[in-house]
Amino acid sequence: MLDSASELEFSEEKATEDPSQLSSLELSGGTASSGKNAAGLPEKTGYPDSVYVMAANIFQGIRVEKSPGKVLIKYGNEPLPYSTEFEDESFQRLSYELAFSALKYQDILESILIDSYIFPSTTIPDHLNGLIIVMLYDFQDRKFQGRLLSDNEESIAEVLEVENLLNSFKTKLAAALARCRIKHDALSIYHILPETIRNQELRASTLPLYAWINTCKISPEEVYHSLKKKGYNKVESILHIDDKVFAVDQHCYDVLIFPSHLKSDLLNTDLFKDYKLIFQDKSRSLAVHSVKALLNMDDDILMVNTGSWYTVAHMSVLTNNNTSKIFVCGVQSQAKDPDLKNLFTKMGCKNIEILHETFINLESKDHRLQKVKVILLLPRCSGLGISNPVEFILNEHEDTGLLKDFSQGGTSEDKLHVLAQQQYEQLTHAMKFTRAQAIVYCTCSVYPEENEAVVKKALEFQDHGIKVQPYRLSPPVLPLCSLKEIHLSTDKFFRMEPSEITNGCFLSVLTRERDPSETVSVKDVLARAAAKGLLDGIELGKPSKREKKKKKSKTPLPKAPTADNNSVQMKIAEFLSRETNANANRSEALTTKTSLPQKNTNQVGSSPQVRKTNKPTTNPLAPTFMKNIPPARPYERLTNFVRPRPEDRMIALKPIEIVLPPVMLPFSSSQGIRSHVPTQQFYCRWVGPKTVMPGYLSTPSVPRSGEKPKDNLPSSLPRRPQPWL
């Protein structure tokens, strides 16, 4: 006690001033942190009796036990009786937050109780000492003001007894609190906490909220439209923005980000009440999206230590369009099955099957797991990568011992070793499932002993005796959105360090090595597709009619030699011999003609004068000579009698039989004409076809360079040939 009344007044003033500075201790997300209790009364009015009792029992299990020589207050081992009727989510959150706050200030609160002479002057049983600690923290947080009770609230005798005790020592408690603050030279007891805990609480109060879209019930576009109608604007980043805004996550396309101060407002919207938007830590969304990237249409999934049922629901929503089935193991109590099925039905999830066996007791030969290709392993971990342990415990159903580790700023070496051994055993057991092709390992820890060390050890000591390919470390299947993420993922691990925008996360993807002896042909792929019914009844292995005809045309049956074949061969040989002789006689006739003018040779063998004369020449003697000449076939293409140039491209053409018309030459008698008319039939190479009709003949014209030969032009009137001059 103080020596004078003035000192007492000073200490009381400081005591009443100090609790106002503890507002930074409030934990986001709870009713008390928003300044209201469960009944909606004004802020700083206290909690219901059931919350105090539940918080006292939680504190009893997580409190720091001291050595016998340093024990100031003895705590009993008997839990306080309380009704489970009020154990809904809001009451649990308030109880955990109150217990966690009392745990962080356990040493300070105990010293205040000793300094105020409550101990050892009172005769309260030891099992109520935990209740005294949690109620004292709330009492000083209310600036030592009385608690307001609702009319319909049932009182608990133990709570009333402790409350009366604290009210009777109100002045002494305030003075002891002031002396404690002066002793540590701190503005408030908040500044007495270690810096790591203070930084963690600051992050927890400003960390953005992450919510994934339930696409089974609503599309992302509809969510954006609904939020816009409620005054929310879509932005690229929500850092340091206090308005009603939201952004889309860069790693997960179905995850939205909101500022932390909007949680109470969002929870009152229909989007969250109807399970269209679900709050969850981003690390769980990263895990299920990694699994989704490794799946085929009909691959099953085995989820281990899922914690939150929202993680299972998110995995179900992502595979809603597949034929995949999700197996969830570790649900030991079958009494929870109706509640879980009801929850999944409300969320629109249909492909979930609950297994009551623990993962270690599951065998790879289980007939239910024969189609499991991907295993999602979310082992229990220290969880020190997160900022709000209360939310993590409530959402992921983690052990309350996590609160003790957070209050001390870290996990003990012994506990860390135990956790790492459990994680290693689960990972090696997952590798024994021979039909599985991939494992996704995800934690919220920042300790390498729980992350890289576990994965590398499991890969090193995996069983190579089984007749399957071993596992290897694969690169992340998530997009890397910054240079820092790329740097942190150089060793094929995906890491997110705790920051002002997200909690810490570690993720590793293990896949089986590809068998080098296994070669998959196109026929095998088509056969598998047909077996799955993806080819809509298309039959494989049977050649089509068109392919059969092609085969028949390409492979004709051999025929025995006959007399007809021999005659055909003789005719071909005779035709080739006659063609050779005709070409030789023609070249000799063209070179030895001295009586024919030079312009005639140009007319036949070259093109300069032909280009000048476009009209064909006719001869009046043509009708008498053509009586015995068979008409030329109109659809046969004629070839131009032009000597091929060496640089031209040689094209093999079919020989065509034509008869040149008689021409008028400057001779006196018809005998001279007959001597110059060739008696043999010519088989010529002809370019620039002209149609030859009965009754008239046209001279062939040589096309110009680069000019396309003209097609056959019909003529209505026969033209008689004009004599050459």
Side-chain angles (χ1 to χ4, degrees):
M1 296 297 293
L2 299 179
D3 297 334
S4 65
S6 60
E7 292 180 354
L8 179 59
E9 292 177 358
F10 171 79
S11 63
E12 289 181 359
E13 180 182 356
K14 292 293 184 180
T16 56
E17 176 187 357
D18 182 64
S20 63
Q21 301 179 9
L22 299 178
S23 58
S24 59
L25 296 175
E26 297 173 359
L27 299 175
S28 60
T31 306
S33 64
S34 62
K36 296 182 180 180
N37 60 10
L41 298 175
E43 58 179 333
K44 304 299 182 182
T45 59
Y47 296 96
D49 290 6
S50 58
V51 172
Y52 288 123
V53 174
M54 186 176 181
N57 289 335
I58 296 173
F59 175 81
Q60 183 73 17
I62 62 176
R63 62 181 176 82
V64 178
E65 296 182 1
K66 299 180 180 180
S67 59
K70 297 182 179 180
V71 172
L72 299 178
I73 298 176
K74 295 182 180 180
Y75 298 91
N77 297 323
E78 300 178 5
L80 296 176
Y82 70 98
S83 175
T84 59
E85 180 180 357
F86 301 101
E87 278 195 21
D88 58 5
E89 184 177 354
S90 61
F91 273 77
Q92 289 183 2
R93 179 172 285 102
L94 292 175
S95 301
Y96 274 98
E97 289 174 351
L98 181 58
F100 182 48
S101 298
L103 178 64
K104 288 185 293 184
Y105 297 98
Q106 178 179 347
D107 291 342
I108 298 175
L109 296 175
E110 287 180 351
S111 63
I112 290 175
L113 290 174
I114 297 297
D115 195 15
S116 62
Y117 288 93
I118 289 183
F119 290 102
S121 61
T122 60
T123 57
I124 293 181
D126 292 344
H127 69 278
L128 293 181
N129 289 341
L131 182 61
I132 293 176
I133 292 291
V134 296
M135 293 188 69
L136 174 59
Y137 172 81
D138 178 59
F139 193 32
Q140 63 84 29
D141 196 28
R142 289 186 279 115
K143 301 179 182 179
F144 298 97
Q145 300 299 316
R147 181 170 62 112
L148 299 179
L149 300 177
S150 59
D151 297 335
N152 56 356
E153 182 181 351
E154 295 183 2
S155 299
I156 299 177
E158 291 84 355
V159 174
L160 292 177
E161 182 180 0
V162 171
E163 187 173 21
N164 293 332
L165 174 65
L166 295 177
N167 284 326
S168 63
F169 281 83
K170 174 181 176 180
T171 303
K172 295 181 179 180
L173 290 173
L177 177 61
R179 288 193 298 270
C180 179
R181 192 185 69 177
I182 295 172
K183 176 182 177 182
H184 291 87
D185 193 18
L187 295 177
S188 66
I189 60 174
Y190 168 74
H191 293 89
I192 301 176
L193 293 176
E195 184 178 1
T196 55
I197 299 179
R198 283 186 281 139
N199 292 337
Q200 170 204 322
E201 291 186 353
L202 181 61
R203 267 198 325 114
S205 62
T206 60
L207 190 70
L209 306 171
Y210 291 85
W212 54 270
I213 302 173
N214 185 357
T215 54
C216 288
K217 307 189 72 173
I218 193 172
S219 65
E221 291 74 16
E222 292 174 334
V223 172
Y224 304 157
H225 180 70
S226 178
L227 290 173
K228 188 175 181 180
K229 290 175 60 178
K230 292 177 173 60
Y232 288 83
N233 297 319
K234 185 178 179 182
V235 295
E236 294 296 329
S237 176
I238 62 166
L239 278 179
H240 311 297
I241 297 180
D242 296 330
D243 298 331
K244 298 178 67 174
V245 295
F246 71 94
V248 180
D249 185 68
Q250 294 180 331
H251 298 95
C252 307
Y253 60 87
D254 62 341
V255 174
L256 302 183
I257 314 173
F258 299 90
S260 58
H261 67 275
L262 297 175
K263 185 170 186 178
S264 58
D265 181 63
L266 290 169
L267 289 174
N268 293 325
T269 62
D270 295 335
L271 291 174
F272 285 88
K273 292 180 179 179
D274 298 336
Y275 296 101
K276 296 177 181 178
L277 277 176
I278 294 92
F279 281 127
Q280 195 170 21
D281 187 69
K282 181 180 176 179
S283 62
R284 295 322 189 210
S285 298
L286 294 173
V288 296
H289 273 274
S290 297
V291 174
K292 178 64 170 60
L294 299 168
L295 286 178
N296 292 321
M297 288 294 294
D298 59 344
D299 292 345
D300 290 347
I301 308 160
L302 178 60
M303 301 184 68
V304 184
N305 294 338
T306 55
S308 174
W309 301 117
Y310 290 154
T311 306
V312 181
H314 196 181
M315 189 78 260
S316 175
V317 169
L318 290 179
T319 58
N320 184 47
N321 296 327
N322 300 6
T323 58
S324 303
K325 184 178 291 186
I326 301 172
F327 294 94
V328 185
C329 62
V331 184
Q332 300 179 1
S333 176
Q334 297 185 6
K336 296 183 179 180
D337 288 359
D339 296 335
L340 294 177
K341 291 180 179 179
N342 184 32
L343 174 64
F344 294 146
T345 301
K346 291 180 179 179
M347 301 184 71
C349 305
K350 301 178 181 179
N351 57 343
I352 301 173
E353 183 171 339
I354 299 175
L355 305 178
H356 297 284
E357 300 91 335
T358 59
F359 177 61
I360 297 298
N361 294 330
L362 283 177
E363 296 183 359
S364 61
K365 297 181 180 180
D366 195 318
H367 67 280
R368 299 169 296 182
L369 309 177
Q370 296 307 302
K371 292 179 63 179
V372 170
K373 299 300 181 183
V374 183
I375 300 177
L376 175 56
L377 187 58
L378 302 170
R380 284 187 55 204
C381 62
S382 61
L384 290 184
I386 63 175
S387 60
N388 194 334
V390 174
E391 293 289 340
F392 187 72
I393 289 174
L394 293 176
N395 294 333
E396 305 299 329
H397 307 289
E398 287 288 340
D399 186 13
T400 55
L402 181 63
L403 297 177
K404 184 176 181 179
D405 297 335
F406 269 81
S407 66
Q408 297 178 345
T411 305
S412 63
E413 291 291 337
D414 295 338
K415 184 176 181 179
L416 194 61
H417 177 74
V418 172
L419 290 173
Q421 183 62 28
Q422 294 176 356
Q423 295 155 1
Y424 171 75
E425 292 176 357
Q426 290 183 348
L427 185 55
T428 54
H429 185 68
M431 292 180 173
K432 297 179 182 178
F433 286 77
T434 56
R435 295 184 179 271
Q437 298 299 315
I439 300 174
V440 176
Y441 179 88
C442 181
T443 72
C444 296
S445 174
V446 296
Y447 292 116
E449 293 86 348
E450 297 181 281
N451 299 332
E452 298 92 339
V454 172
V455 175
K456 292 179 180 179
K457 182 179 178 181
L459 289 174
E460 182 181 359
F461 295 100
Q462 60 180 315
D463 187 7
H464 295 276
I466 55 180
K467 297 181 180 180
V468 291
Q469 290 298 109
Y471 277 99
R472 63 176 179 177
L473 189 62
S474 296
V477 294
L478 296 169
L480 303 178
C481 304
S482 65
L483 293 177
K484 185 177 181 180
E485 291 181 3
I486 296 174
H487 176 72
L488 292 175
S489 304
T490 53
D491 52 357
K492 298 183 179 181
F493 295 115
F494 183 87
R495 301 180 184 88
M496 293 185 66
E497 295 181 346
S499 64
E500 58 182 355
I501 60 174
T502 183
N503 287 322
C505 175
F506 173 85
L507 196 144
S508 175
V509 177
L510 307 179
T511 57
R512 291 198 184 275
E513 297 180 1
R514 191 177 296 274
D515 192 353
S517 63
E518 181 182 359
T519 57
V520 181
S521 62
V522 177
K523 292 183 178 180
D524 295 336
V525 175
L526 293 176
R528 294 177 184 177
K532 297 177 182 179
L534 302 178
L535 298 183
D536 297 333
I538 299 177
E539 296 183 0
L540 299 177
K542 296 183 179 181
S544 61
K545 294 182 179 180
R546 184 176 299 176
E547 292 178 353
K548 291 181 179 179
K549 290 181 180 180
K550 288 183 179 180
K551 290 183 179 180
K552 289 182 179 179
S553 62
K554 290 182 179 180
T555 57
L557 295 175
K559 296 182 179 179
T562 59
D564 295 337
N565 294 340
N566 293 334
S567 62
V568 170
Q569 296 295 332
M570 291 176 64
K571 289 181 180 180
I572 293 174
E574 183 181 355
F575 164 75
L576 294 176
S577 175
R578 186 171 64 249
E579 183 182 18
T580 304
N581 295 333
N583 291 334
N585 293 335
R586 181 193 63 200
S587 61
E588 183 179 354
L590 291 175
T591 55
T592 57
K593 275 184 183 180
T594 57
S595 60
L596 191 64
Q598 185 65 25
K599 62 180 181 180
N600 291 345
T601 59
N602 291 338
Q603 187 78 11
V604 176
S606 62
S607 61
Q609 293 187 8
V610 177
R611 295 175 185 174
K612 295 180 181 180
T613 58
N614 294 331
K615 295 182 180 180
T617 59
T618 58
N619 195 311
L621 299 177
T624 58
F625 275 86
M626 291 178 62
K627 290 181 180 179
N628 298 327
I629 298 174
R633 288 171 289 184
Y635 298 103
E636 240 175 41
R637 297 182 66 88
L638 304 180
T639 57
N640 192 12
F641 185 57
V642 178
R643 183 178 298 175
R645 298 178 182 178
E647 66 271 14
D648 291 342
R649 184 179 178 183
M650 301 300 295
I651 302 176
L653 300 176
K654 298 175 67 175
I656 300 174
E657 179 180 353
I658 63 173
V659 178
L660 294 177
V663 296
M664 292 295 296
L665 297 177
F667 293 102
S668 58
S669 64
S670 62
Q671 185 69 25
I673 299 175
R674 292 193 185 97
S675 63
H676 288 277
V677 174
T679 58
Q680 296 184 6
Q681 296 176 344
F682 283 82
Y683 298 88
C684 305
R685 179 177 179 270
W686 202 278
V687 180
K690 295 288 183 178
T691 304
V692 181
M693 300 296 294
Y696 74 94
L697 291 174
S698 61
T699 57
S701 62
V702 181
R704 297 181 181 180
S705 176
E707 182 180 356
K708 185 177 180 181
K710 296 181 179 181
D711 295 336
N712 299 334
L713 299 174
S715 178
S716 60
L717 296 177
R719 297 180 180 180
R720 296 183 180 274
Q722 299 293 331
W724 292 340
L725 298 179

